[in-house]
Every structure is written in structure tokens, then in C-alpha cells.
Amino acid sequence: MIKTLKFGGTSVGSAANMRRVAGIIVSEGARLTVLSAMSGTTDALVRISAAARAGDTGTVKQTIEALRDKYASCILRLLDTHKDAAVERMEAALALISDETFTYRGEVSDKLIQAQGELLTSAIFCYHMQELGHKAVLLTSPEFMHTDPEGKPDTARLKKELTRLVTETDPDIYYIAQGFICTDAAGHVSNLGRGGSDYSAALMGVAIDSDEVQIWTDIDGMHNNDPRVVEKTFPIRRMSFDEAAELAYFGAKILHPLTIQPCKEAGINVRLKNSMEPEAEGTLISADEDNAMDFHAVAAKDGITVVRITSARMLMAYGFLRKVFEVFEKYKTPVDMITTSEVELSLTIDNTDRLDEIVRELMPFGSLEIDRDNTIVCIVGCIDYQQVGLAARIFNGLREIPIKMISYGANHRSMTILVSTEHKKQTLQALNDHLFDCTNGK
């Protein structure tokens, strides 16, 4: 069975955690392992980039020293015979970061600086595997993970180049690669965005024809609600691709939203596991639908802005909506929720980078209202319109919460509502209390 495993920053965040990960890789017989940077690294590198942009050399030097202490400590605790080589690798990475800040080239430097966390972490971990006596081979993801001018992964090139590198049939060879980072269409080191390591693992797993892609974090699988906010949540043991994609998109932090689609199209199961408790069952995501429960899970997505357009021109008109959505398409701003009446259109966005330009172009359509600081709450399950009482159960739980928007009917798997972010915690807890028997984990 060919397996691709991905480990997040917390999972490789210390020497002790790296030792645990090495044991998991061997016990799972992983063909390919994809690693994030040690926890906290990417945030530090982003600070360095921001400081370089502002000409703040003091912050650059201070943050580089903090990274040196962090990685040197890990190397000293983890390695023996490869210690000097790892320190040399660390110093080369930090020197590159420093050089880029003094010859700052904008986004090109930002992306190159941010790539060093994954490159350094994976190198240290590969040394550790080799010291344990394993045949570990370090790959460099930007050599085979490329994106097109639109920033989309070139999957055909990925399959061709990665399968050329992973040619050995020896089951004792462990290939180690980096998540997140890639090469853009201009030939510069780039990345797939924050959280993109999950997506990297899915794409790589499909490229080498894996039977399973495993995403290892510090949580025991996908929970029925956000355990950071809600009391008495429980892990979901089985979930369909479509449900997992819906939850990931609407805020379930355990999984990057783009991870599911490549695996769904290839028919490859995804398993979510806890690196701190490897024996825990986790969550299996597959094509199978679980119809045993009406409601499976709830997720929330913050940072939502509502754009409301009121116009008598909508009345008995055609083409109005097309013209509105062409504005959002022009500024590459996705829309999440939509509700309409005869004279009003309300829609939500989570990216306001181009909002001023969007508003300027929408003003001729009618009066506008911009409503910020909202949260989309998505309830996922078997919410069939033919089954009576399901909506009543949802809204009975929310009877004391002001709801701004409701969306249902696009599929039988989900219902979404919009609330002010100040009501997020109350909303999630109310849904947890009214929709799930959390005492029995179902």
C-alpha cells in the first residue's frame, strides 16, 4: 500500500516531536513524507519580510537570532553524527535570509525567505532518519512542484517529474519533501499559500498514485465542532469527500480547503491523524456517504464582509445579477453566500483587498451597504429537503441569536447562516447542544 504522509508544524515542532514522527513514518511504511516548517517559523519569516520592506534591520537581526537559537537547540537535541552538517545547513539558510533582506526584491524575496523554514526543517529531519539507520532521501519540492501564470499547480509536470525522482521500488526508502513551497511560472521560488502543505501532500500523493494520503496534526481527526471554542465536541470517524471539503472551506482548521478535490478525483482516501496520539483512530475521508446521522458537523469562517445592493432596477429584470458578478470576477474576489429579493441582493466575501474598487464599480447599480465583522456558520450532514423537521431543529437552537443571512438548497449536505462575529461562540455552542448527543459521541 503506497502512502503519502504530511506532518504539520506542531508535529515537527521539537526534537521530541520529530522522533515521534520518525516512528510513525516507519510504522506506516510511508512512501513519501511531506513536512511543514517547525511551528512558529513561517510567522517569524513573515515578520522578517515585513521588517525588510520597512527597512527595520533591528527586527530582522533579532528575529534571525531567535530562529538560530530555535533550530540550533533542535539540532543539538536530535542529531549526533550529522550535527555539523545540519548546523552548516542552518547557517546557510540564515545567511540567505539575511542577504535577501539587504537586497530586498519585494515579493520575490518574501517568497524565497518564507521557503527556508520548510527546506531547513526537512533537511534536519532527513538527517535524523539517516542516523536511525533508514534509507532517507531528501527531495526539493520547487524542483517538481510548479505553478502556472494563474498560480495553479501544473499537475501534469508534477506527475512526470516526481515519479522520475521516486523511482526506487525498495520499500525501505523513505522520501522526504517540503509542503507549501513551489516554483512559479517566472521561475522564482514561491508557495501555495498559508496552510498549503496539506494541498501539496494531496497533489504529490495523487502524482505517485498513492492508495492513501494521511494528514497528521495535533488533533484527533475532524471534530463535529470547533474544540477551541465549543465544549464537548467529539471526533468524526468517517466522512465523505464533499462533507470534508465543505467543512474545510467554511473554517475547519485541521484541513486546507483545497486538499480534498485532487484526492476525490483520483479516488484516494484521506485520513486525518494525531501525531501526539498515533494510536487514535482519526478520521477517514472517502467517497462513502454516512447517512446514519442527520447532522454531522459544524464549522465557522470568520472575517466575512456583506455587500448589500438595493435597486429597483432588479425588479422584473434579467442580466442584473450577471453584471454584478462580473465586477467580482474582474477583481478576482470569490463570493461565498448569496441571497436575493425582488429589489435587494446580499452577498458575502472573505477577501476585502479589492473592496474599494468593487464598491466604486457597483455604485451605479443602486445603494450599497457594507457590513463587516461577520461569521459564516456551516451545518453539514444529510439535510434532505424532503425530510421534515431538520430546519426546525437548527433554528430552535438558534432562537436567541440574531441571524443575518440563510443559504440552503444548493445541495442536501449543508445549510449556512451568517451571524455577527460577536455571536459566533454562542451560535456554535447552541448548535452543538441542540444537534448532537455529545455525551455519546454521536
Side-chain angles (χ1 to χ4, degrees):
M1 185 178 188
I2 300 175
K3 295 181 182 179
T4 295
L5 275 60
K6 177 266 177 180
F7 292 89
T10 303
S11 297
V12 292
S14 67
N17 288 358
M18 286 192 186
R19 291 191 185 95
R20 187 182 296 110
V21 166
I24 293 170
I25 289 171
V26 174
S27 65
E28 291 286 340
R31 180 72 161 158
L32 174 65
T33 298
V34 181
L35 300 181
S36 297
M38 288 180 68
S39 54
T41 302
T42 303
D43 287 340
L45 295 174
V46 169
R47 285 197 301 274
I48 288 173
S49 292
R53 195 178 306 116
D56 183 358
T57 57
T59 296
V60 169
K61 292 178 181 178
Q62 181 181 11
T63 310
I64 287 177
E65 283 307 309
L67 285 173
R68 177 178 281 109
D69 291 343
K70 178 187 185 75
Y71 278 88
S73 176
C74 177
I75 291 168
L76 291 174
R77 287 175 168 82
L78 187 67
L79 301 178
D80 185 15
T81 57
H82 291 79
K83 179 171 58 180
D84 291 342
V87 169
E88 184 177 345
R89 187 75 175 256
M90 176 190 72
E91 292 297 343
L94 296 178
L96 184 151
I97 292 169
S98 180
D99 289 345
E100 283 297 318
T101 63
F102 288 106
T103 58
Y104 186 65
R105 298 174 291 160
E107 187 175 354
V108 171
S109 289
D110 291 343
K111 299 293 178 64
L112 183 56
I113 288 170
Q114 291 165 26
Q116 300 313 305
E118 275 74 16
L119 291 168
L120 182 53
T121 299
S122 58
I124 294 170
F125 182 79
C126 192
Y127 285 137
H128 174 55
M129 290 288 287
Q130 292 168 354
E131 285 195 0
L132 292 175
H134 301 299
K135 301 174 186 177
V137 176
L138 182 65
L139 305 177
T140 304
S141 294
E143 292 181 359
F144 50 82
M145 181 71 78
H146 294 258
T147 56
D148 63 19
E150 293 293 318
K152 297 178 180 178
D154 186 339
T155 54
R157 183 173 182 177
L158 170 63
K159 185 173 182 64
K160 178 182 178 181
E161 298 191 11
L162 185 56
T163 51
R164 177 179 57 82
L165 293 168
V166 184
T167 54
E168 294 290 341
T169 56
D170 185 346
D172 293 329
I173 294 181
Y174 300 97
Y175 292 93
I176 312 297
Q178 307 82 32
F180 179 60
I181 61 177
C182 61
T183 297
D184 66 19
H188 300 302
V189 172
S190 186
N191 61 63
L192 299 177
R194 292 301 293 263
S197 292
D198 291 354
Y199 189 32
S200 299
L203 293 169
M204 293 181 201
V206 170
I208 65 169
D209 297 321
S210 298
D211 297 292
E212 184 172 280
V213 171
Q214 297 182 358
I215 307 295
W216 290 76
T217 67
D218 56 352
I219 301 174
D220 180 18
M222 184 85 77
H223 277 233
N224 73 304
N225 211 323
D226 190 340
R228 300 164 303 174
V229 178
V230 175
E231 297 178 357
K232 297 181 180 179
T233 67
F234 58 85
I236 304 168
R237 297 311 179 193
R238 300 193 185 284
M239 178 176 291
S240 71
F241 286 125
D242 291 336
E243 289 175 334
E246 196 95 351
L247 289 170
Y249 182 76
F250 284 113
K253 300 299 184 183
I254 192 173
L255 193 64
H256 189 279
L258 295 175
T259 306
I260 295 300
Q261 193 61 31
C263 294
K264 176 185 176 181
E265 292 175 353
I268 297 173
N269 291 349
V270 177
R271 196 179 296 271
L272 309 181
K273 296 278 285 180
N274 184 355
S275 62
M276 306 305 168
E277 298 180 29
E279 68 284 353
E281 185 178 347
T283 300
L284 177 65
I285 301 171
S286 69
D288 296 335
E289 295 271 2
D290 180 6
N291 296 318
M293 295 170 58
D294 296 324
F295 303 107
H296 295 170
V298 176
K301 185 178 183 180
D302 296 328
I304 302 299
T305 296
V306 182
V307 179
R308 295 190 182 93
I309 307 170
T310 302
S311 174
R313 292 171 56 190
M314 290 180 63
L315 190 63
M316 303 295 290
Y318 58 86
F320 185 89
L321 294 179
R322 173 182 57 80
K323 294 175 183 177
V324 168
F325 288 112
E326 282 177 348
V327 175
F328 289 89
E329 180 183 10
K330 177 180 179 179
Y331 293 106
K332 298 181 179 180
T333 301
V335 173
D336 291 324
M337 292 180 68
I338 307 164
T339 62
T340 65
S341 69
E342 286 298 329
V343 295
E344 185 175 286
L345 167 67
S346 295
L347 50 81
T348 69
I349 58 175
D350 63 3
N351 183 347
T352 58
D353 291 347
R354 310 296 296 274
L355 182 58
D356 290 343
E357 296 152 291
I358 290 171
V359 167
R360 188 161 52 248
E361 292 213 23
L362 289 178
M363 287 180 68
F365 290 87
S367 62
L368 299 182
E369 178 186 354
I370 306 300
D371 180 6
R372 303 175 187 270
D373 299 323
N374 297 291
T375 295
I376 289 178
V377 177
C378 180
I379 303 104
V380 168
C382 299
I383 312 176
D384 195 323
Y385 70 91
Q386 293 180 323
Q387 187 171 348
V388 299
L390 296 183
R393 287 172 59 188
I394 293 173
F395 293 113
N396 183 51
L398 301 177
R399 60 187 179 274
E400 297 181 359
I401 297 167
I403 298 173
K404 294 184 174 182
M405 291 175 64
I406 302 167
S407 178
Y408 172 70
N411 60 53
H412 69 276
R413 297 183 186 89
S414 67
M415 177 183 289
T416 53
I417 63 171
L418 185 78
V419 298
S420 294
T421 300
E422 62 180 306
H423 300 302
K424 170 187 172 179
K425 182 175 182 179
Q426 181 186 2
T427 301
L428 294 181
Q429 190 65 60
L431 290 170
N432 211 59
D433 295 341
H434 282 79
L435 303 184
F436 305 103
D437 180 1
C438 296
T439 58
N440 296 316
K442 62 182 182 180

